Amino acid sequence: MATPLVVSDVAKSFTMHLRDGVTLPVVAGVSFSIRAGECAVLGGPSGAGKSSILKMLYGNYAVDEGQIIVQHAGGLIDVASANPRAVLAIRRQTIGYVSQFLRTVPRVPALDVVAEPLVERGADREAARDKARELLSQLNLPEKLWALPPATFSGGEQQRVNIARGFITEHPILLLDEPTASLDAKNRDVVVELIAGKKAAGVALLGIFHDQDVRDAVADRIIDVTAFAAGRVAA
Amino acid sequence: MTDIATYNFAYLDEQTKRMIRRAILKGIAIPGYQVPFASREMPMPYGWGTGGVQVTASIIGPDDVLKVIDQGADDTTNAVSIRAFFKKVAKVAVTTETAKATIIQTRHRIPEHPLNAGQVLVFQVPIPEPLRFLEPRETETRKMHALEEYGLMHVKLYEDIARHGRIATTYAYPVKVEGRYVMDPSPTPKFDNPKMHRSPALQLFGAGREKRIYAVPPFTDVVSLDFEDHPFEVQTFDQPCALCAAENVYLDEVILDDHGGHMFVCSDTDHCEKRRADPSSPLSEGRAEGAGGGDLAASPATPSPALRAAPPHDGEGKEAR
Amino acid sequence: MTDEPLLRVSELSKFYGSRVGCEAISFDLWPGEVLAVVGESGSGKTTLLNCLSTRLLPSSGTASYRMRDGQWRELYRMSEAERRFLMRTDWGFVHQNPADGLRMTVSAGANVGERLMAVGDRHYGRIRATAVDWLSRVEIDEDRIDDEPRAFSGGMRQRLQIARNLVTGPRLVFMDEPTGGLDVSVQARLLDLLRGLVTDLGLAAIVVTHDLAVARLLSQRMMVMKDGRVVESGLTDRVLDDPRAPYTQLLVSSILQV
């Protein structure tokens, strides 16, 4: 099976035009690959650029240099240089993303927030809702909340809705940005289970986990981001 | 008559008549299209038929026989005045008999007696633009006519059905002429719309204040707009004319006293009088007095004009719809 | 998703005398795609919208549209009759002020039904049934169908305007500040509704807004305009989360945090 995700020589800096155009280097020379069924974890202190790397892989941040090659729609495509339409297609079919925060539309009930990614991919709405129910109950979200819009939920509840939304699809690549940050131990274990399930299904996972226990439980390998510190390559 | 004497024949000067005739010819060439024209001040107020009078003045000749009706009646102020006007300025023969007239100027009715080829019916029009009440911009309504965008006309009919359960427009009922232009037939009752369809007479429309002339040439299709599930229908009356017993004619309600007494009589006075004068009519016996053809005096059996339910200038009150 | 765009815009410019309305705008729009055009007032975004919707003729440049029959047509070479027909069948235009897009003196039902009647529907019962259906889709009670929009709140008017536009199943909708002038809570409801309709119907839309939150919620792609030119464009979340152009950075940093 071909490697689903190969990152080579990626560099990123921010130019702050509002502060006299000062340039903040973030990372440089980022190179790694993730195999199918593997969960790699980005390691390093905060500010090292872990989140920026995830966001570049997802097309959310622009890439200054390098390539991010993914297996997509039967071919290879470079996320770093793909046009917006291609990036959208990659997000729809190939790369899933679980962020720290839930961004939702005001009036949509939690159940539909979770089911939406499947519906967008053409699944039947009721089938998608069934799967959403399954995930939400697995994540111990009280059933009485399912029909409510998540905007007023607690941080942990929103996080679980977010995780369910991220895990409901069958993307071959899944990016996890601290999905367990505001969860209690019981629900952290559920997430660990979910990740194990994805691994077994051959999904390539790349995540950021600050929680040592979770990291130890899911990581096949740690990618040390300090190795990509921008200063080391010539800023 | 000398050339000098004919120079101002029928009130208007030759240049003005030429201009109006051009507008009329253009209107005939493009059935239902509103042709702008340089409407003149006439010796009567707007709303009393200045448009119709200018059209009549432009087409009338010394040999014409003129009939003027107002809501179907030959004997109301407006009709009497306009007839007197042309008698004076054109010295033409006048009549109240539909069949004898060559030109019939009308305010809001088409005579019951079928018109013939060679006759000209001149309508007085207060507001020529059928789209006006839904689209106030003249620039936009012109564009809509040009591009044949007539969805809005059905919006009006839709509103009628939504409010009243049926198409409640009873006069100035919009028509499509020769499959192209939507036209306001002037505030005639919709009862008269079918008479316009393929009429052998030429129909001319003059709007003095709005400065528009339009025409329906003889034998032209004039189709009333409607919906498939709410087809066009004319008014029906559940009783015949109280004077001549005519059925399938348009009736006016006439108030008889201030105790609620009223009756329904023919709006077309000529038609009514003819029927009553006809010796073969079962009604004629003892009721024919005073119904002479050219006699303008009101017949004793005919209610006085002042009592007619509709005041003479209500066509101008169209805004109040 | 088809492989062909719906609209191709190339080097579109509009000058008002020597003043620039918008200059050298090029982009493609695909079916089902929502493009947000952001910028402050005077940036040329409304001029661009008016050019694209053929309400205004550009000074130079071309815009081609793929008609329902698959034929490509150049918008500025079409006759006025064809353009107007396009505008009331395959296109929609949602104005910021609903009074500009509605007939305020005819009922809600007739407002929705007008486009149907304009394309030749002559069956009252069918027109009314469609109007009822569309009113419910934009969350207006059926018993308001015979009321005039004058009696409606701002939010309801805007929803009615949307229904009026969508009744003929257009493929492309232009929106000029669709939530401008509405209360925040009403805005949220409208955005949610719009988002749902756009997804369900697979509409392509060009939304002009100065509100970056509206752009983020509705659009996949955005263009940032300043002084008549596009200074930055790309995926909406990319432009907002990693703004590159100085002006975009200024815009993004100017958002009030609640």
Side-chain angles (χ1 to χ4, degrees):
Chain A
M1 198 172 177
T3 311
L5 175 66
V6 180
V7 181
S8 45
D9 269 330
V10 163
K12 168 77 183 164
S13 61
F14 290 113
T15 304
M16 317 294 276
H17 292 285
L18 302 181
R19 282 195 263 148
D20 301 325
V22 63
T23 299
L24 297 177
V26 184
V27 288
V30 180
S31 300
F32 61 83
S33 60
I34 316 279
R35 288 188 304 278
E38 177 188 39
C39 179
V41 173
L42 293 172
S46 54
K50 301 188 295 291
S51 249
S52 294
I53 291 173
L54 278 195
K55 285 175 175 168
M56 283 190 280
L57 299 188
Y58 197 57
N60 181 227
Y61 276 7
V63 176
D64 296 347
E65 282 172 34
Q67 290 180 317
I68 299 166
I69 306 293
V70 294
Q71 280 255 319
H72 167 71
L76 297 176
I77 188 164
D78 178 14
V79 175
S81 62
N83 66 36
R85 227 167 86 79
V87 174
L88 287 173
I90 292 168
R91 288 180 184 180
R92 207 163 36 244
Q93 294 167 37
T94 305
I95 305 184
Y97 186 84
V98 184
S99 64
Q100 296 180 46
F101 305 106
L102 182 65
R103 193 171 251 140
T104 53
V105 188
R107 290 187 307 158
V108 181
L111 191 68
D112 286 340
V113 169
V114 174
E116 193 186 17
L118 270 191
V119 175
E120 270 175 11
R121 301 176 95 201
D124 172 70
R125 191 172 288 274
E126 270 318 303
R129 280 186 182 145
D130 285 344
K131 185 128 189 237
R133 282 187 196 100
E134 204 178 292
L135 274 166
L136 287 175
S137 65
Q138 205 177 341
L139 284 157
N140 305 304
L141 189 78
E143 201 171 331
K144 62 179 193 290
L145 296 181
W146 295 1
L148 302 176
T152 53
F153 290 9
S154 74
E157 286 160 353
Q158 288 198 5
Q159 180 79 333
R160 277 176 276 162
V161 171
N162 206 22
I163 290 165
R165 183 180 158 90
F167 278 84
I168 196 167
T169 55
E170 283 158 11
H171 287 104
I173 301 171
L174 197 54
L175 308 175
L176 309 166
D177 190 353
E178 299 199 43
T180 54
S182 37
L183 296 187
D184 57 23
K186 190 170 100 185
N187 284 310
R188 273 203 299 271
D189 292 345
V190 175
V191 175
V192 171
E193 263 173 56
L194 286 172
I195 291 172
K198 288 287 181 192
K199 275 160 71 170
V203 174
L205 295 110
L206 178 66
I208 302 170
F209 297 94
H210 279 179
D211 188 303
Q212 184 72 45
D213 296 342
V214 176
R215 190 161 50 197
D216 292 346
V218 301
D220 293 313
R221 168 160 80 91
I222 308 281
I223 298 169
D224 184 6
V225 175
T226 53
F228 310 133
R232 287 169 49 134
V233 187
Chain B
M1 263 187 261
T2 65
D3 285 349
I4 296 294
T6 57
Y7 180 73
N8 266 358
F9 180 77
Y11 189 76
L12 294 175
D13 64 275
E14 293 307 304
Q15 290 299 340
T16 296
K17 284 188 282 188
R18 186 179 294 179
M19 175 270 295
I20 293 174
R21 286 173 195 149
R22 268 194 222 112
I24 292 170
L25 287 173
K26 184 169 178 181
I28 293 169
I30 316 170
Y33 172 72
Q34 299 166 46
V35 185
F37 80 109
S39 179
R40 298 293 195 250
E41 290 293 325
M42 297 303 284
M44 57 179 68
Y46 290 130
W48 288 74
T50 55
V53 166
Q54 289 179 78
V55 169
T56 300
S58 301
I59 61 169
I60 202 164
D63 302 330
D64 274 311
V65 180
L66 179 69
K67 169 182 164 81
V68 182
I69 51 173
D70 176 3
Q71 308 260 15
D74 294 278
D75 54 7
T76 52
T77 318
N78 200 213
V80 171
S81 306
I82 292 174
R83 197 162 44 223
F85 175 75
F86 281 109
K87 243 165 126 176
K88 184 170 180 185
V89 299
K91 301 196 168 50
V92 292
V94 296
T95 182
T96 58
E97 281 184 70
T98 301
K100 284 186 183 163
T102 56
I103 298 173
I104 302 168
Q105 180 169 333
T106 174
R107 178 175 169 274
H108 311 350
R109 266 319 303 279
I110 295 176
E112 306 289 359
H113 190 278
L115 299 176
N116 294 317
Q119 287 185 303
V120 183
L121 191 58
V122 178
F123 293 79
Q124 300 170 200
V125 181
I127 294 165
E129 179 49 72
L131 299 162
R132 180 61 66 237
F133 292 93
L134 295 153
E135 176 51 70
R137 292 167 295 182
E138 174 71 11
T139 48
E140 187 65 16
T141 52
R142 282 204 207 188
K143 209 168 263 180
M144 290 160 87
H145 282 294
L147 302 176
E148 236 182 310
E149 290 181 7
Y150 291 131
L152 199 52
M153 215 59 251
H154 274 86
V155 168
K156 160 92 174 78
L157 301 180
Y158 169 97
E159 289 287 84
D160 266 6
I161 303 172
R163 296 230 153 91
H164 309 287
R166 64 195 158 81
I167 298 178
T169 301
T170 53
Y171 66 98
Y173 191 105
V175 293
K176 196 161 203 181
V177 181
E178 202 63 10
R180 176 59 180 84
Y181 284 95
V182 165
M183 186 186 91
D184 184 341
S186 88
T188 49
K190 66 178 177 180
F191 181 87
D192 287 340
N193 277 18
K195 295 180 191 165
M196 306 181 79
H197 181 58
R198 304 199 66 76
S199 166
L202 168 64
Q203 302 171 77
L204 302 177
F205 300 78
R209 184 181 49 195
E210 302 291 324
K211 303 175 175 57
R212 294 288 184 277
I213 284 172
Y214 51 101
V216 175
F219 305 107
T220 300
D221 285 345
V222 177
V223 179
S224 303
L225 302 181
D226 61 2
F227 285 102
E228 288 159 21
D229 48 346
H230 286 267
F232 173 79
E233 286 170 347
V234 297
Q235 293 102 326
T236 53
F237 298 89
D238 48 16
Q239 50 192 314
C241 170
L243 296 177
C244 75
E247 290 177 353
N248 302 318
V249 295
Y250 193 73
L251 301 181
D252 278 344
E253 183 182 11
V254 176
I255 310 293
L256 297 175
D257 52 42
D258 53 6
H259 305 294
H262 65 118
M263 64 184 198
F264 286 93
V265 299
C266 282
S267 128
D268 186 336
T269 52
D270 171 60
H271 183 74
C272 198
E273 284 160 13
K274 277 278 182 325
R275 283 176 56 85
R276 280 181 285 149
D278 182 354
S280 65
S281 156
L283 290 158
S284 64
E285 200 175 312
R287 300 188 66 170
E289 73 274 23
D295 186 355
L296 295 181
S299 122
T302 306
S304 109
L307 286 175
R308 285 190 170 265
H313 345 286
D314 71 338
E316 292 303 301
K318 205 174 164 191
E319 289 91 339
R321 273 202 291 189
Chain C
M1 279 247 173
T2 56
D3 283 341
E4 263 198 300
L6 193 60
L7 180 72
R8 290 182 198 271
V9 181
S10 172
E11 292 294 309
L12 203 68
S13 300
K14 173 73 185 174
F15 300 99
Y16 300 102
S18 59
R19 216 157 43 77
V20 176
C22 61
E23 195 173 3
I25 312 287
S26 301
F27 68 90
D28 289 347
L29 186 76
W30 270 266
E33 189 175 44
V34 180
L35 172 72
V37 182
V38 304
E40 56 202 28
S41 43
S43 61
K45 55 193 195 307
T46 299
T47 296
L48 174 64
L49 192 74
N50 285 337
C51 283
L52 294 174
S53 59
T54 72
R55 294 152 58 83
L56 202 62
L57 282 182
S59 312
S60 64
T62 58
S64 310
Y65 182 72
R66 186 159 53 81
M67 308 292 280
R68 287 192 190 197
D69 63 5
Q71 294 289 318
W72 281 94
R73 298 291 307 275
E74 264 197 51
L75 293 179
Y76 310 119
R77 287 170 187 259
M78 290 168 86
S79 71
E80 184 172 18
E82 286 175 301
R83 285 204 306 263
R84 284 171 67 115
F85 184 75
L86 196 62
M87 287 214 71
R88 59 172 193 260
T89 52
D90 213 18
W91 288 4
F93 196 108
V94 177
H95 296 261
Q96 173 173 7
N97 179 2
D100 294 340
L102 291 173
R103 289 193 191 280
M104 299 303 280
T105 55
V106 304
S107 68
N111 262 292
V112 176
E114 182 178 342
R115 272 175 165 236
L116 296 173
M117 294 182 247
V119 294
D121 199 328
R122 294 288 177 265
H123 192 281
Y124 174 82
R126 211 160 47 215
I127 292 166
R128 194 164 171 90
T130 310
V132 167
D133 177 45
W134 267 101
L135 289 179
S136 77
R137 288 174 85 161
V138 298
E139 301 167 16
I140 294 174
D141 281 344
E142 188 182 333
D143 61 10
R144 302 300 301 269
I145 188 169
D146 293 328
D147 292 350
E148 290 177 7
R150 281 189 293 203
F152 286 7
S153 68
M156 269 176 87
R157 287 180 188 185
Q158 198 57 294
R159 281 181 273 132
L160 178 63
Q161 193 191 182
I162 288 162
R164 172 179 162 90
N165 271 286
L166 298 187
V167 68
T168 49
R171 293 184 302 157
L172 173 60
V173 179
F174 301 96
M175 301 187 206
D176 188 4
E177 304 277 6
T179 59
L182 297 178
D183 289 344
V184 182
S185 58
V186 177
Q187 250 189 45
R189 184 176 179 194
L190 187 75
L191 280 174
D192 175 31
L193 179 83
L194 268 178
R195 197 167 165 275
L197 287 173
V198 164
T199 316
D200 292 350
L201 305 171
L203 287 178
I206 297 177
V207 184
V208 158
T209 178
H210 65 273
D211 188 335
L212 297 181
V214 169
R216 190 190 280 274
L217 215 53
L218 284 183
S219 71
Q220 293 103 39
R221 213 147 60 86
M222 71 190 271
M223 300 199 304
V224 182
M225 289 188 71
K226 183 179 190 323
D227 299 333
R229 287 188 160 268
V230 173
V231 294
E232 185 163 2
S233 67
L235 276 181
T236 299
D237 61 286
R238 209 281 293 150
V239 173
L240 292 176
D241 293 343
D242 182 16
R244 321 271 283 170
Y247 179 69
T248 316
Q249 292 188 354
L250 177 67
L251 265 190
V252 171
S253 68
S254 308
I255 301 175
L256 292 175
Q257 301 288 331
V258 185

